Amino acid sequence: MEKILEIKNLKIEYKSNERTVEAVNNLNLLLNKGESLGIVGETGAGKTTTALGIMGLIPDPPGKIVNGEIIFEGHDILKLSKNKLRAVRGKKISMIFQDPMTSLNPVITVGDQIAESIRIHEKLSRADAVLKAKEMLELVGIPEERYAEYPHQFSGGMKQRVIIAIALSCNPELILADEPTTALDVTIQAQVLDLILKLKREKNTSMILITHDLGVVVEICEKVAIMYAGEIVEYGTTEQIYENTSHPYTRGLFDSIPDIDAKEDRLIPIQGLMPDPADLPKGCSFEPRCRYSTEKCKESNPDTQEIGNGHFVKCYNYIKRGEQ
Amino acid sequence: MAKYIGKRLLMMIPVLLGVIIVIFSIMYMTPGDPARMILGEAASASAVEELRESLGLNDSYITQLLRYITNVVFKFDLGNSYSSHKPVVDEILERFPTTILLAAISVTISVIVGVIMGIISATRQYSIFDKLATSFSLLGVSMPTFWAGLMAVIVFSVHLRWLPASGSYGWKYWILPSFTLGLSSSATIMRMTRSSMLEVIRQDYIRTARAKGQSENMIIIYHALKNAMIPVVTVIGMRFGGLLGGSVLIESVFAIPGLGKFIIDSINMRDNLVVQGGVLFLALSFSVCNLFVDILYGFIDPRIKSQYKSSSKRRIKKDEATN
């Protein structure tokens, strides 16, 4: 399988008034062409920061990529010049943003906002770009007559479709979908996910789907990375993660999903809160909340180890198969 | 939209009536006798009394006020100037182009300087340029315009002898007054543009534009500027409206025969009808200016435009419901 994206030892920090927040810590990630990877984790785990890092859109200041490599199609994105990076953005890698309400420019028509990215990357006349933008609108299920309308005339779900149309307009190699359905209500969520999946299959695009919804991941992704406090704590194929859950944090995430068959009065939440990212514990960052923690976990941060074919876990006392 | 404009024009009527009543009352209560001012100190008491009678100054306050309002509203007649005996309307219209020209040139200068400096300051926040621009704007708002005007005269007319100090006989005469006015208003516009831009460039849709691979310059021009313009346009409109009547000081310093100077001179001469007419005229142009700015909002921001439309639509629906 051909690699499309490889992230090595990525470290991203945000600096504010002498506090340094380590948003992403020694992150390693591999994505093959045509694959979908789900990044799952709670709020503040560094999922969005990772995606923005891949786009080269970390706001600097306060953010800074301190260390690491992001290799996309054989080139390190972090070493690209500004102009070369701009040629990648929107053309090779594009991003679907989390909040459709604020991600569209309120004073520009939706059609022009789609045509804009086409005009930037493809040598098309204005009229041809408009035609292509209209095609994109139809593709995401919005009648092309609405080209000249403004974002405030659209519902949230339609705005998200417009954002998807923008992201897909130049046939990118890689889509970063940052919680594309979080701001939408449940019925629209399914529609938007189906749409993304359909377009992805048609064009064999690779995708990173950021979410905190494990159910969505099962539907869409072949691989899953579980993120906690800026690190990937477990990584593997969707089957490996679901059938052979190994990291205590992943276990906790599954336990906090209600089971439709079992009669449960209460869910089993993960105790405690995520550690302050400006003051991470010396050992394993999940140790304070971990049921399986030992002295060793307090003292040193475990390395990532491969426990199955392509199944990685960052834990000393990971849960072995059949132990649950 | 037309309905909205019509509604706004109707709403001007009570405002202007209020202005008439207030300015008439102020002039009525101000001590000093117009008849005495016209005839001079040497005139006899009986001559003054005769003139007062013929000008209608001996009538009661209410009679005079109603007479004035009737004349203005039904005959568009602001009366004749006591000193020149020409119709006040003609006197005002004769001077108004000068005032408008001065206001237009100086607002243009202030918009160009203020908006450009504001954008650069915002995009290079905390840079040397930003700090210099900030100090410049502090200087601009702190300096009284008449003082800045005098300083400009001392430097450019007296010492350097580049430009004429006063009068209005050609384009050279406009440079000092319009730049003095323009640069001092550019300070406010610059501050407004800077803070508005700083807010806009942190919005999510700017990040979306970057994610498309758009260049930084286009992001500022195409995506940010229009969004940042609403508060700036407000300031520019207020400034222009203010300059229509408020360049009194600069008109005095540079001896420019504009409307502001005319009104001030008329106050000194107790030429009541000119003062009333002049103030009414300024109030009218200020209101029109504000209306223009509000319409402009609609062109900048489609959300505001749809509000203008929907407010009249709502009214139609309500009418239908009551029928």
Side-chain angles (χ1 to χ4, degrees), chain B residues 23 27 68 88 92 262-281:
Chain B
I23 186 66
M27 293 314 289
Y68 185 69
V88 170
I92 290 173
F262 183 49
I263 293 177
I264 294 290
D265 292 346
S266 305
I267 292 175
N268 291 333
M269 288 165 49
R270 302 285 287 112
D271 200 340
N272 288 6
L273 290 176
V274 172
V275 179
Q276 289 161 18
V279 170
L280 182 61
F281 198 77

Side-chain angles (χ1 to χ4, degrees), chain A residues 50-193:
Chain A
T50 308
L52 290 176
I54 297 169
M55 292 291 283
L57 284 175
I58 299 283
D60 179 13
K64 203 160 184 70
I65 297 179
V66 187
N67 189 17
E69 288 170 60
I70 299 174
I71 296 162
F72 175 75
E73 293 189 329
H75 299 283
D76 188 351
I77 283 180
L78 301 179
K79 293 202 179 83
L80 289 181
S81 71
K82 268 191 183 166
N83 283 335
K84 286 206 171 126
L85 184 61
R86 280 206 285 120
V88 172
R89 277 185 202 152
K91 170 72 188 154
K92 301 247 174 179
I93 310 177
S94 64
M95 188 156 171
I96 298 170
F97 289 98
Q98 192 171 357
D99 189 351
M101 301 302 165
T102 58
S103 296
L104 289 174
N105 194 327
V107 303
I108 300 176
T109 63
V110 290
D112 283 348
Q113 295 192 53
I114 301 171
E116 184 190 3
S117 62
I118 299 169
R119 293 260 290 165
I120 294 169
H121 296 292
E122 284 168 30
K123 301 265 173 289
L124 285 180
S125 70
R126 175 175 284 271
D128 288 343
V130 169
L131 276 182
K132 176 126 194 250
K134 284 184 173 167
E135 266 171 41
M136 290 310 300
L137 272 178
E138 291 281 350
L139 190 68
V140 296
I142 297 173
E144 64 165 52
E145 294 82 53
R146 303 197 66 176
Y147 181 95
E149 288 185 20
Y150 290 92
H152 72 274
Q153 291 163 293
F154 280 56
S155 69
M158 289 176 86
K159 281 184 207 171
Q160 191 61 290
R161 285 156 186 266
V162 172
I163 291 171
I164 292 168
I166 292 173
L168 298 178
S169 59
C170 296
N171 301 323
E173 311 281 325
L174 172 64
I175 303 171
L176 308 175
D178 182 7
E179 305 195 23
T181 57
T182 306
L184 308 175
D185 62 55
V186 186
T187 47
I188 310 294
Q189 277 185 15
Q191 287 178 21
V192 167
L193 282 176

Side-chain angles (χ1 to χ4, degrees), chain B residues 15 30 65 78 88 94 97 120 129 147 149-150 157 162 167 176-177 202-203 213 233 254 256 261 284 287 291 301:
Chain B
V15 172
T30 319
L65 175 62
L78 297 174
V88 170
E94 190 182 304
I120 301 178
F129 180 89
W147 183 83
L150 289 175
S157 306
W162 286 351
L176 277 187
R202 280 166 181 62
Q203 297 294 318
V233 165
F254 292 99
I256 294 169
K261 188 165 180 296
L284 179 69
S287 309
L291 173 61
D301 194 330

